[in-house]
């Protein structure tokens, strides 16, 4: 195995709410000045997660642990570089979330798109991962799982034939798009600790939230 200190690795290798700002505008992943970085992936389970990513053929970069204050931190996180389909706005992700997301993209998104929409997905659009904020962007209360780099918000899928299937329009729109998005939601419920969609509350009208907290909470 190559050293985990190298920039790029090819290793033999969600109830928390989203921090969506008012009117569904995504937070732009603010970057407060972090404290000094510390070593990451020191535990056996963390190193095994990296190995699992490698075995799955995922290309990634391991990131140092950082503390941002107020409880916000990124511990044992990676930057996904190639999961088989281009994906926007992916910042730091905890390794288990990265592994679950990569598998979901490969084994749920693509097969469902081909079978139900007759086209491959060429891009997954997200609203981001890490952001130091509370649940739903509130001024007080519990930290969002986004503040731990333990959540990702998926907003749309671009197909090879040029169609763009968004959660905002498709969830209650075209019947085929409804079926596609609900299939992906159901599949995610088997991979992530918490899955929230438009039927959960108004804050999720335009995206699917996945995180590794909880124990199969699916709404």
């Amino acid at each position: 195995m190559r050293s985990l200190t190298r920039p790029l690795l090819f290793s033999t290798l969600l109830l928390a709410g989203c921090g969506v700002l008012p009117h569904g505008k995504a937070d732009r992943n603010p970057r407060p000045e972090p404290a000094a970085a510390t070593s990451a992936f020191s535990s056996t389970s963390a190193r095994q997660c990296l190995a699992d990513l490698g075995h799955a053929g995922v290309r990634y970069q391991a990131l140092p642990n950082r503390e941002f204050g107020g409880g916000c931190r990124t511990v044992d996180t990676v930057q996904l570089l190639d999961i088989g389909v281009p994906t926007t706005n992916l910042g730091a992700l905890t390794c288990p979330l990265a592994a679950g997301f990569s598998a979901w993209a490969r084994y749920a998104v693509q097969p469902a798109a081909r079978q139900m929409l007759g086209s491959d997905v060429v891009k997954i659009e997200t609203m981001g991962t890490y952001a130091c904020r509370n649940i739903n962007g509130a001024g007080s209360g519990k930290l969002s799982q986004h503040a731990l780099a333990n959540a990702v918000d998926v907003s749309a899928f671009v197909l090879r034939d040029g169609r763009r299937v968004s959660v905002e329009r498709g969830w209650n729109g075209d019947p085929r798009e409804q079926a596609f998005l609900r299939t992906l939601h159901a599949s995610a419920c088997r991979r992530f600790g918490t899955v929230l969609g438009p039927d959960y509350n108004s804050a999720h009208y335009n995206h699917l939230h996945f995180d590794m907290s909880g124990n199969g909470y699916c709404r």
Side-chain angles (χ1 to χ4, degrees), residues 104-179:
W104 177 77
R106 177 176 297 181
Y107 299 114
V109 174
Q110 286 292 23
R114 292 166 185 159
Q115 180 178 355
M116 307 176 79
L117 299 176
S119 184
D120 289 336
V121 170
V122 296
K123 183 168 67 174
I124 298 173
E125 298 179 2
T126 84
M127 292 177 163
T129 56
Y130 172 79
C132 186
R133 62 195 185 202
N134 296 323
I135 292 174
N136 293 326
S140 62
K142 289 185 177 180
L143 281 176
S144 167
Q145 288 295 306
H146 287 283
L148 307 176
N150 200 35
V152 58
D153 294 338
V154 177
S155 57
F157 306 85
V158 179
L159 306 182
R160 191 177 301 281
D161 61 16
R163 283 176 292 170
R164 179 177 180 271
V165 180
S166 70
V167 175
E168 180 176 0
R169 292 182 177 273
W171 191 259
N172 293 307
D174 178 270
R176 292 177 301 173
E177 294 185 2
Q178 287 191 48

Side-chain angles (χ1 to χ4, degrees), residues 1 17 41 70 101 113 115 125 163 194 215:
M1 182 183 295
F41 300 99
F101 185 80
Q115 180 178 355
E125 298 179 2
R163 283 176 292 170
T194 294
N215 186 23

Side-chain angles (χ1 to χ4, degrees), residues 50-63:
L50 291 182
D52 291 342
L53 284 177
H55 289 312
V58 174
R59 184 172 169 239
Y60 68 92
Q61 177 182 359
L63 302 175

Side-chain angles (χ1 to χ4, degrees), residues 2 18 24 32 48 77 79 84 97 103 125 133 136 144 156 179 209 211:
R2 299 181 182 178
C18 302
Q48 182 61 51
T77 60
Q79 173 82 53
L97 178 61
E125 298 179 2
R133 62 195 185 202
N136 293 326
S144 167
H209 167 99
D211 75 50

Side-chain angles (χ1 to χ4, degrees), residues 39-43 45-47 49-50 62-66 74-78 93-96 149:
S39 297
F41 300 99
S42 58
S43 70
S45 61
R47 291 194 298 270
C49 184
L50 291 182
L63 302 175
N65 292 341
R66 294 188 181 275
T74 56
V75 175
D76 290 345
T77 60
V78 299
L93 291 150
T94 59
C95 189

